[in-house]
């Protein structure tokens, strides 16, 4: 096997798969990247058996073939080479020779025979999604994924296609039991034979790679399914991930329907006030208190070891006085992903969940459980 490739393209290809290759060496082959040269193209594949990535690049192929090599070490070598074309070739006993300018490396590889096969995608069950929309939805939900490994069905984002009034939309939902985020975007798809109609759970690691893919450049991402795997294709790159096998709880039951107290606030003013008040709150729980009166919100925090703080914010509110307590970090996380100038908080009473959402934009809400301080 032998091919010639631009240093920049090779470095980008290897950098792309660094988040996927297995770091713990449960199977040595999983810390390797598979390189396959064939008919003017180089295919780069990495997997940890849960998430896999395959990308194809145009190269000058001198001799077809394939080999696996340690992904981290190869990337470190290629990254530091001069900005010239690289000649990559295999020798006897799976040794690899890399020549760039006057630099030459000889490193050991592993046969490609042990490398796991990459799943084939069923083209009959695919839909197209806008990268911009997908990136925004992931941003609005990923921070609420549960970190408790025992709650495995919450260790990802639930995705489902819904249909109301002949308008199809994609919903993404994440929750850790203390907060719940729902992002929704209208989509155009004629395909109804998709696992998304029933609902699937993307795993955390797959979501991180999907976010990187959707952020790279504009364009559509094609989403397909096979068995218990999802495949996402954009340009020359395919990501395959094993879906979480479990039932996601019925999130619609968590969203309160009777929150009759509505506050309108300036997002930026509210966000900075929360950050200031959180400084003196408990390190672990970040508890703050809301005292809500007519057109005035008083945010306060106290810590026996540090002191106390309070700040008043003008709001639009004409209901009765109410007191509520929340984790400041949960509110800050939501405000960081809302682009609107104004936000709305909907409350019922001190012990009921609150809804935080953009004032003018539909398609996103966050439900936050109150605290008992």
């Amino acid at each position: 096997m032998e091919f010639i490739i631009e240093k920049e393209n090779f470095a980008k290809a290897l950098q792309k798969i660094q988040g996927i290759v297995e770091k713990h060496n449960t199977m040595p082959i999983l810390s390797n990247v598979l390189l396959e040269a064939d008919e003017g193209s180089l295919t780069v594949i990495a997997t940890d058996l849960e998430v896999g990535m395959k990308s194809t690049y145009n190269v000058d192929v001198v001799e077809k073939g394939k080999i696996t090599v340690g992904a981290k070490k190869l990337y470190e070598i290629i990254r530091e080479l001069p900005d010239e074309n690289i000649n990559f070739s295999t020798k006897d006993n799976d040794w690899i020779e890399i020549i760039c300018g006057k630099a030459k490396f000889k490193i050991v590889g592993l046969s490609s025979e042990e490398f796991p096969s990459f799943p084939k995608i069923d083209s009959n069950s695919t839909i197209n999604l806008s990268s911009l929309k997908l990136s925004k939805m992931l941003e609005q939900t990923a921070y609420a994924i549960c970190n408790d490994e025992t709650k495995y069905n919450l260790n990802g984002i639930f995705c489902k296609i819904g249909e109301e009034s002949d308008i199809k939309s994609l919903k993404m939902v994440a929750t850790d039991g203390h907060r719940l985020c729902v992002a929704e975007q209208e989509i155009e798809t004629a395909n109804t034979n998709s696992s998304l109609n029933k609902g699937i759970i993307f795993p955390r690691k797959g979501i991180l790679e999907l976010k990187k893919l959707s952020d790279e450049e504009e364009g559509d991402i094609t989403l397909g399914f096979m068995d218990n795997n999802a495949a996402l294709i954009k340009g020359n790159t395919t990501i395959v991930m094993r879906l979480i096998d479990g039932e996601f709880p019925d999130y619609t039951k968590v969203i309160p329907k009777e929150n009759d107290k509505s506050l309108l606030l300036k997002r930026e003013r509210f966000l900075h006030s929360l950050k200031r008040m959180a400084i003196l709150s408990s390190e672990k729980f970040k508890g703050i208190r809301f005292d809500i009166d007519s057109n005035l919100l008083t945010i306060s925090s106290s810590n026996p070891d540090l002191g106390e703080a309070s700040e008043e914010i003008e709001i639009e509110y004409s209901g009765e006085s109410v007191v509520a307590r929340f984790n400041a970090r949960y509110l800050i996380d939501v405000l960081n992903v809302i682009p609107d100038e104004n936000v709305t908080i909907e409350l019922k009473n001190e012990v009921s969940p609150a809804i935080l959402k953009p004032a003018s934009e539909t398609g996103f809400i966050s439900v936050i459980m109150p605290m008992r301080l």
Side-chain angles (χ1 to χ4, degrees):
M1 167 182 163
E2 183 178 355
F3 62 86
I4 299 165
I5 186 172
E6 292 180 11
K7 179 257 176 126
E8 184 181 357
N9 285 348
F10 206 9
K12 282 181 180 177
L14 294 169
Q15 190 273 333
K16 211 171 188 178
I17 52 94
Q18 292 304 307
I20 290 177
V21 288
E22 177 62 49
K23 305 289 195 303
H24 305 298
N25 285 327
T26 49
M27 290 173 61
I29 197 75
L30 297 182
S31 62
N32 282 18
V33 56
L34 173 64
L35 303 174
E36 185 172 356
D38 184 31
E39 295 293 344
S41 68
L42 173 70
T43 302
V44 179
I45 301 176
T47 182
D48 67 354
L49 299 183
E50 290 190 11
V51 180
M53 179 182 288
K54 177 171 75 173
S55 299
T56 305
Y57 303 87
N58 292 327
V59 299
D60 182 5
V61 176
V62 180
E63 185 178 349
K64 298 178 186 178
K66 51 187 176 181
I67 191 77
T68 81
V69 60
K72 185 174 185 293
K73 194 57 66 179
L74 180 60
Y75 175 53
E76 289 174 352
I77 291 169
I78 301 302
R79 186 178 57 188
E80 298 303 330
L81 289 175
D83 291 329
E84 299 180 33
N85 284 349
I86 295 169
N87 183 284
F88 185 104
S89 60
T90 56
K91 305 299 179 185
D92 292 339
N93 299 320
D94 295 323
W95 278 84
I96 293 163
E97 184 178 77
I98 301 168
I99 301 173
C100 183
K102 297 189 179 301
K104 180 188 287 188
F105 284 83
K106 287 187 176 180
I107 58 175
V108 67
L110 275 175
S111 168
S112 61
E113 292 176 7
E114 296 178 37
F115 201 83
S117 60
F118 203 80
K120 285 188 170 62
I121 300 154
D122 179 8
S123 59
N124 293 322
S125 62
T126 60
I127 63 169
N128 290 331
L129 305 170
S130 157
S131 285
L132 288 175
K133 287 183 178 180
L134 195 57
S135 178
K136 181 179 179 182
M137 293 177 76
L138 291 170
E139 189 176 282
Q140 290 178 329
T141 51
Y143 58 86
I145 295 173
C146 182
N147 290 312
D148 185 348
E149 296 298 328
T150 63
K151 299 176 181 176
Y152 69 96
N153 60 326
L154 301 183
N155 294 161
I157 293 178
F158 178 71
C159 300
K160 189 177 191 300
I161 287 180
E163 190 167 352
E164 295 178 15
S165 304
D166 296 327
I167 297 175
K168 287 197 174 184
S169 64
L170 177 67
K171 288 186 178 181
M172 287 191 172
V173 187
T175 181
D176 60 7
H178 303 288
R179 54 184 168 175
L180 174 119
C181 298
V182 183
E184 184 175 8
Q185 289 282 348
E186 187 178 327
I187 58 170
E188 293 180 11
T189 174
N191 195 322
T192 56
N193 184 25
S194 168
S195 299
L196 279 174
N197 292 328
K198 295 176 290 186
I200 58 169
I201 308 174
F202 286 128
R204 182 198 311 276
K205 187 171 181 179
I207 288 162
L208 293 174
E209 297 305 323
L210 177 54
K211 183 71 169 71
K212 292 178 196 172
L213 188 69
S214 60
D215 285 345
E216 277 182 1
E217 58 188 44
E218 289 187 27
D220 282 355
I221 290 180
T222 300
L223 176 58
F225 300 92
M226 53 280 172
D227 299 327
N228 197 36
N229 293 284
L232 299 113
I233 306 163
K234 184 179 181 184
N236 67 336
T237 299
T238 301
I239 293 175
V240 172
M241 65 183 83
R242 186 189 301 163
L243 300 171
I244 292 177
D245 187 15
E247 287 289 324
F248 199 82
D250 185 357
Y251 68 91
T252 59
K253 293 181 179 177
V254 180
I255 301 173
K257 305 290 192 295
E258 299 176 355
N259 286 18
D260 54 355
K261 300 174 178 64
S262 181
L263 293 64
L264 183 69
L265 308 92
K266 294 288 184 185
R267 187 195 74 89
E268 197 75 15
R269 176 83 172 83
F270 186 34
L271 175 60
H272 289 295
S273 178
L274 287 171
K275 288 180 176 179
R276 286 190 284 271
M277 294 304 100
I279 294 170
L280 290 189
S281 62
S282 156
E283 282 296 322
K284 186 175 182 181
F285 298 110
K286 292 293 179 190
I288 55 167
R289 172 177 165 135
F290 285 5
D291 286 271
I292 304 162
D293 288 301
S294 179
N295 291 329
L296 187 67
L297 167 63
T298 303
I299 306 175
S300 58
S301 63
S302 63
N303 187 321
D305 300 321
L306 297 173
E308 57 186 37
S310 67
E311 183 170 346
E312 294 181 347
I313 300 178
E314 292 183 356
I315 61 173
E316 289 186 26
Y317 176 68
S318 57
E320 61 186 47
S321 298
V322 65
V323 173
R325 297 167 176 85
F326 298 102
N327 184 316
R329 181 167 56 85
Y330 295 164
L331 296 168
I332 290 168
D333 284 345
V334 177
L335 292 171
N336 279 332
V337 299
I338 292 178
D340 275 36
E341 183 182 348
N342 298 314
V343 295
T344 300
I345 298 178
E346 295 176 356
L347 300 159
K348 182 181 179 184
N349 53 41
E350 185 175 349
V351 295
S352 299
I355 292 176
L356 177 56
K357 61 184 181 181
S360 60
E361 180 186 330
T362 58
F364 173 70
I365 67 166
S366 179
V367 178
I368 299 173
M369 300 299 292
M371 293 180 69
R372 291 169 176 80
L373 295 178

